[in-house]
Amino acid sequence: MYELLDLRKVFNDGTAALDGLTLTVGQGEQVAVIGPSGAGKTTLFRIMNLTLLPTSGIVRLDGIDVTRLSDAELRQARVRIGTIYQQNNLVGRLKVVHNVLAGHLGRWSTAVALYSLLRPQDADGAGRALAQVGIPEKLYARTDELSGGQQQRVAIARLLIQNPDIILADEPVSSVDPSLASGIVALLAELSAGSRKT
């Protein structure tokens, strides 16, 4: 699914976040990237989710060199990749249903996305995704009224709606209570194994 060859990323201030990194990840494989703060994990994930280009080296997604893709092709490739961040990137004032349905934004037109804010366009799908993560009763709750663990589950439900081929989780449990962390990691592993997602 991924082939990273001699990857290097140097930022404008001269900091080399990645240098000489080579990594291959097969379809359906689960890989953990472990390292101290500042080691370059988030930079690596941003390159893998195609929001950041490397300074040098090759990034292949499913055999295709992503640096050669047009803007339209890059947007299409990004739809295949779902990312969960430690901050969740949820809109607190919106209802949970709207945050979950944001997983459709890569496929919906602007008009459909705006209309969905007034009348949720796939509320049933959002409800099913929330049921998979164990909080179906929160569909119409305000997102900022949920606990940290529940918000992380909303972020995972958004990922389920997106239905990507690849799931990247950047410290997905750092903002939740330690007692919930193992459950969230187990849920991600179960989702990956059950659907052969990378």
Side-chain angles (χ1 to χ4, degrees), residues 74-159:
L74 202 52
R75 279 192 298 277
Q76 274 187 319
R78 285 182 185 134
V79 171
R80 297 182 59 201
I81 305 165
T83 307
I84 301 172
Y85 297 96
Q86 64 189 80
Q87 307 91 341
N88 298 325
N89 292 335
L90 301 173
V91 181
R93 290 187 295 246
L94 289 180
K95 292 186 185 312
V96 167
V97 65
H98 298 299
N99 276 292
V100 173
L101 292 177
H104 282 308
L105 293 179
R107 290 183 291 275
W108 281 355
S109 68
T110 303
V112 170
L114 290 172
Y115 184 71
S116 187
L117 287 172
L118 299 173
R119 295 196 125 159
Q121 291 303 289
D122 186 15
D124 289 344
R128 285 190 299 275
L130 288 169
Q132 279 187 268
V133 299
I135 54 168
E137 73 284 357
K138 300 297 184 184
L139 183 64
Y140 290 104
R142 219 174 109 132
T143 304
D144 58 7
E145 294 175 354
L146 302 180
S147 70
Q150 289 172 329
Q151 288 184 23
Q152 193 64 288
R153 288 174 182 269
V154 170
I156 295 170
R158 178 182 57 203
L159 187 87

Side-chain angles (χ1 to χ4, degrees), residues 21 23 35 42 54 56 68 72 76 98 107 135 166 171-172 181 197:
L21 182 111
L23 173 69
T42 297
S56 63
R68 300 191 189 284
Q76 274 187 319
H98 298 299
R107 290 183 291 275
I135 54 168
I166 300 161
E171 298 191 45
K197 294 185 185 303

Side-chain angles (χ1 to χ4, degrees), residues 1-2 25-29 165-168 192 196-198:
M1 189 60 78
Y2 279 110
V25 180
Q27 182 178 359
E29 188 174 1
D165 298 325
I166 300 161
I167 299 171
L168 298 175
S192 172
R196 294 271 304 140
K197 294 185 185 303
T198 304

Side-chain angles (χ1 to χ4, degrees), residues 10-25:
V10 179
F11 289 103
N12 292 340
D13 66 0
T15 303
L18 300 173
D19 192 10
L21 182 111
T22 296
L23 173 69
T24 302
V25 180

